[in-house]
Amino acid sequence: MCADCLFLDQYRVSLVDAVKRLLQPKGKAFVFAPLRGNTLNHFCSVAEKNGFSIQRHDNYDEQVWQFHSKLKNEENKIYDENLHYPILLILTNKENNMDLKQS
C-alpha cells in the first residue's frame, strides 16, 4: 500500500517499477492518492503501459465518503477534493515483465 506519493513527476516511473518488482504475478497493490491535477492519471497511464490493470474507486468506504461530502459542502473554502480526497487505485500485475516503459 502507498499513499499520496504520485505527484512528483521524477519519481512516478520509479514507483511503478518498485511496485512491479515487489508484486507476484497477479499480485495487487493498493494506492491511495488525490487527483492533484493530472498526476493520478499520469501514474495510471505509466502503470497500464507497464502491465497493470487498474480499478479506480472514489466511494470505497461509507464513513470516508460521508466525511468527504460534508467537507465538500460545509468547508469548501479550505477543503479542495483535488488535493485532499484520496482515490483508491487497485493495481493488478498482469505480466511478469521487468522491462519498464517510461511514458
Side-chain angles (χ1 to χ4, degrees):
M1 181 190 297
C2 64
D4 199 14
C5 54
L6 311 181
F7 61 94
L8 295 172
D9 294 337
Q10 67 269 31
Y11 300 120
R12 200 170 295 126
V13 172
S14 296
L15 179 60
V16 169
D17 181 49
V19 171
K20 185 133 189 94
R21 290 175 187 274
L22 290 168
L23 287 180
Q24 296 288 327
K26 307 290 185 188
K28 294 182 185 293
F30 294 79
V31 177
F32 287 90
L35 291 172
R36 288 191 189 267
N38 285 319
T39 61
L40 185 122
N41 292 331
H42 291 315
F43 175 81
C44 289
S45 178
V46 171
E48 287 174 330
K49 287 178 183 173
N50 285 283
F52 286 100
S53 64
I54 301 173
Q55 296 175 333
R56 176 182 160 158
H57 302 275
D58 294 352
N59 184 352
Y60 46 83
D61 179 88
E62 189 58 36
Q63 229 177 344
V64 172
W65 186 256
Q66 286 177 2
F67 189 63
H68 161 67
S69 297
K70 179 181 177 183
L71 289 173
K72 194 171 158 182
N73 292 327
E74 297 175 11
E75 302 292 337
N76 58 3
K77 290 182 179 151
I78 59 171
Y79 180 72
D80 181 354
E81 70 180 304
N82 179 58
L83 298 176
H84 300 129
Y85 184 71
I87 306 297
L88 168 60
L89 301 175
I90 302 174
L91 281 64
T92 303
N93 190 6
K94 297 189 305 186
E95 304 173 357
N96 199 20
N97 181 359
M98 293 297 178
D99 296 329
L100 200 64
K101 298 170 186 76
Q102 295 285 325
S103 46

